[in-house]
Amino acid sequence: MHEKSSTASEAHSDRDSIASSSASCDPDATHPTSTEKGISSTERSIPINDRNSLSRASQDLRRTASNVLSHVASRITTRGWDEPPPPPDGGLDAWTQVAMGFLVLFSTWGYANSFGAFQAYYTETLSVSPSSISWIGGIQVFLSLTIGILSGRLLDAGFFIPVFFVGIVVQVLGIFLMSISTQYWQLFLTQGVLSGIGAGIYFTPAISLVNTYFDKRRGLAVGLATAGNSAGGIVYPLVVRELIPKLGFAWTTRVIGFLNLALLSIAFTFMRPRLPPRKSGPIVEFGAFKDPKYAGFLASAFFVFWANYYTFYYIGSYGTQALNLSYSSASVLVIIINGVGLPFRILVPMVADRIGNMNVIVPVSLIWATVSFTWLAVHNVAGYYAFTIVYGIVSASFQCLFPSTVARISPRLDTIGTRLGMAFSVSALASLTGPPIGGAIQTTSGGGFLAPQIWAATATLVSFVLFTVLRLHMGGLSMKAKC
């Protein structure tokens, strides 16, 4: 070792001697001319050793700046990451994403599903038809789901953090602008359009992110995250119901805005992507619709969401108009239909992880269709409370399985964001058109609820038939097939 060092030192010394000798034989080395390229007169006055030191310092500075920029980029995107191992299916990081997903759904869908309370309030305070009012909630949900086509692909491309941040800013801005809105068109633009766009930017990437951390326990993980939907569906309508009479509409809305800002900020702090980016691929994967499982599932879900959002939006209005309930009492129904499904959003996915999602969805949709037809027989308050409870349970049992089912029938984890965004867009079309169609049917039938009730129940029955056909396609007649 010492001999190698000595030899290297001698070689280095020899090279220095040769360089020195060459320099002394070169007249331009000791007497630089004006023809030297790249060296100014000021630099010629600096000794060569100092000049080399400055060059090395400049290179070090550029290298440090490049490293800093690369580090910053690595914190906000996943570009350059190595291929990760299989999903951890548990652990602190994975369950942290589930907890943050809970907060995201709590603030997003708790707020959106509370529109039934706003629907009843607007019906009493605005000189606008119920069908027109329902367009506010319809466009909010539509945009919250449709924008996922773009934001879901951005997750796959590695831009989760900046996308999530922009979504928070836009949604919260929409809520605060809603607080100073007094006209229908103002509420449509703020509560409907702006809040919907903001939620759509961050919602699909967030729920897709949770899916990427799990495999065998994916149903349970997503179910726990979607429990935020039911929990938020209790809190937000309660806030609206209790605070509007005390604080007024403006400050009630601001309270909701501050609540969303706090919860989404916590989620932004802790949610982190796991997969490297998928650099190529279309924003909309039209080839996915050639997959009979994917296309069949979305077609079936369309009909059930068509009826579901009509029922959720008009649950309060039916209480005030058909059963003569007060606004405060009708708002309790909105809380019940949103909140009663909370434990089932956890229990049902646990069963689905064991026997398969479609094996659970088929009987759930059958019960859902049956309950929908029982609405026709409700003529008193006690019966309406019973209907609301059971409908809320079966609705939650299906909704908690929707994201994980799309993930299970997707061929690759790095396409989940894109495919889930597309799936949410299909359900968004149902949520946009369902409530207004139901409201229009109500108006044309003289203001009664019988005709739209029949329409909603029939749509749910159609979805059950389609889900059954899909289950037979995937697993045949075997009861033991996990699908």
Side-chain angles (χ1 to χ4, degrees):
M1 181 72 179
H2 292 292
E3 290 177 1
K4 289 182 180 180
S5 246
S6 174
T7 302
S9 178
E10 289 174 3
H12 182 70
S13 176
D14 291 341
R15 284 196 301 270
D16 288 347
S17 298
I18 293 170
S20 176
S21 175
S22 299
S24 65
C25 292
D26 186 359
D28 289 337
T30 54
H31 303 286
T33 66
S34 60
T35 60
E36 285 184 29
K37 296 180 179 180
I39 302 178
S40 66
S41 58
T42 304
E43 289 174 324
R44 285 200 300 272
S45 64
I46 302 174
I48 292 177
N49 290 339
D50 291 346
R51 211 184 301 163
N52 291 337
S53 298
L54 288 173
S55 177
R56 284 195 298 271
S58 177
Q59 291 175 358
D60 290 342
L61 182 60
R62 286 196 297 270
R63 190 179 301 110
T64 301
S66 177
N67 290 338
V68 170
L69 291 175
S70 298
H71 180 71
V72 171
S74 70
R75 302 295 291 181
I76 63 174
T77 75
T78 58
R79 290 184 174 275
W81 286 16
D82 296 328
E83 191 68 26
D89 240 2
L92 180 61
D93 287 344
W95 291 116
T96 297
Q97 307 312 305
V98 173
M100 296 304 103
F102 177 94
L103 296 182
V104 170
L105 270 83
F106 180 94
S107 56
T108 305
W109 295 107
Y111 168 54
N113 287 341
S114 69
F115 185 76
F118 286 108
Q119 172 92 23
Y121 175 76
Y122 294 155
T123 300
E124 293 183 358
T125 57
L126 298 176
S127 300
V128 182
S129 69
S131 178
S132 298
I133 290 172
S134 65
W135 276 102
I136 298 175
I139 196 67
Q140 180 187 3
V141 174
F142 175 76
L143 291 172
S144 297
L145 296 171
T146 304
I147 302 297
I149 291 181
L150 299 174
S151 59
R153 181 63 184 90
L154 289 173
L155 166 72
D156 293 340
F159 294 100
F160 172 79
I161 294 176
V163 166
F164 197 87
F165 178 78
V166 171
I168 294 173
V169 172
V170 175
Q171 199 231 28
V172 172
L173 177 63
I175 295 175
F176 280 110
L177 289 177
M178 170 188 164
S179 70
I180 59 175
S181 302
T182 57
Q183 304 296 319
Y184 171 78
W185 66 269
Q186 295 171 338
L187 291 167
F188 183 86
L189 291 177
T190 55
Q191 184 177 12
V193 176
L194 198 56
S195 294
I197 290 175
I201 291 173
Y202 68 75
F203 165 67
T204 298
I207 194 65
S208 300
L209 184 71
V210 174
N211 275 282
T212 65
Y213 276 83
F214 293 87
D215 182 18
K216 295 180 180 179
R217 306 167 81 179
R218 183 178 293 150
L220 174 60
V222 175
L224 287 168
T226 62
N229 188 323
S230 292
I234 297 173
V235 173
Y236 284 84
L238 192 60
V239 168
V240 175
R241 173 178 178 268
E242 294 297 323
L243 295 188
I244 282 183
K246 299 175 182 177
L247 302 180
F249 172 79
W251 270 106
T252 298
T253 306
R254 289 176 193 134
V255 168
I256 292 175
F258 284 120
L259 179 60
N260 274 25
L261 178 61
L263 295 176
L264 292 173
S265 296
I266 295 172
F268 176 75
T269 302
F270 292 100
M271 292 199 88
R272 288 295 177 267
R274 190 186 72 88
L275 300 178
R278 180 165 61 94
K279 298 179 181 180
S280 62
I283 294 177
V284 179
E285 188 185 348
F286 289 104
F289 293 109
K290 297 179 181 179
D291 180 358
K293 293 184 293 183
Y294 186 77
F297 180 73
L298 295 190
S300 307
F302 175 86
F303 284 98
V304 79
F305 280 129
W306 218 16
N308 178 74
Y309 281 103
Y310 167 76
T311 306
F312 268 65
Y313 285 2
Y314 281 83
I315 197 78
S317 297
Y318 182 86
T320 56
Q321 297 176 33
L323 301 178
N324 296 319
L325 293 175
S326 65
Y327 167 74
S328 179
S329 298
S331 297
V332 173
L333 293 167
V334 179
I335 297 171
I336 291 174
I337 200 170
N338 280 291
V340 72
L342 178 59
F344 293 88
R345 288 180 180 270
I346 301 171
L347 298 174
V348 171
M350 292 175 67
V351 176
D353 281 341
R354 289 180 174 273
I355 68 174
N357 286 31
M358 289 305 303
N359 290 333
V360 175
I361 288 175
V362 169
V364 165
S365 61
L366 174 60
I367 297 171
W368 203 347
T370 304
V371 173
S372 297
F373 278 104
T374 63
W375 194 5
L376 302 174
V378 173
H379 301 294
N380 56 62
V381 175
Y384 198 44
Y385 271 89
F387 164 77
T388 302
I389 291 171
V390 180
Y391 194 94
I393 290 173
V394 292
S395 174
S397 298
F398 172 75
Q399 291 186 50
C400 68
L401 294 178
F402 184 80
S404 60
T405 303
V406 173
R408 288 193 186 282
I409 60 180
S410 297
R412 294 173 43 171
L413 280 177
D414 60 0
T415 64
I416 288 179
T418 301
R419 287 205 169 198
L420 199 53
M422 293 163 56
F424 281 140
S425 298
V426 172
S427 64
L429 182 61
S431 70
L432 176 67
T433 57
I437 287 176
I441 293 174
Q442 178 183 345
T443 302
T444 56
S445 61
F449 284 87
L450 180 62
Q453 286 172 331
I454 294 175
W455 165 78
T458 303
T460 309
L461 180 61
V462 170
S463 73
F464 159 69
V465 174
L466 293 176
F467 278 131
T468 303
V469 172
L470 178 60
R471 164 61 182 82
L472 292 174
H473 168 76
M474 295 173 64
L477 297 175
S478 173
M479 299 299 293
K480 296 181 179 179
K482 184 179 180 180
C483 54

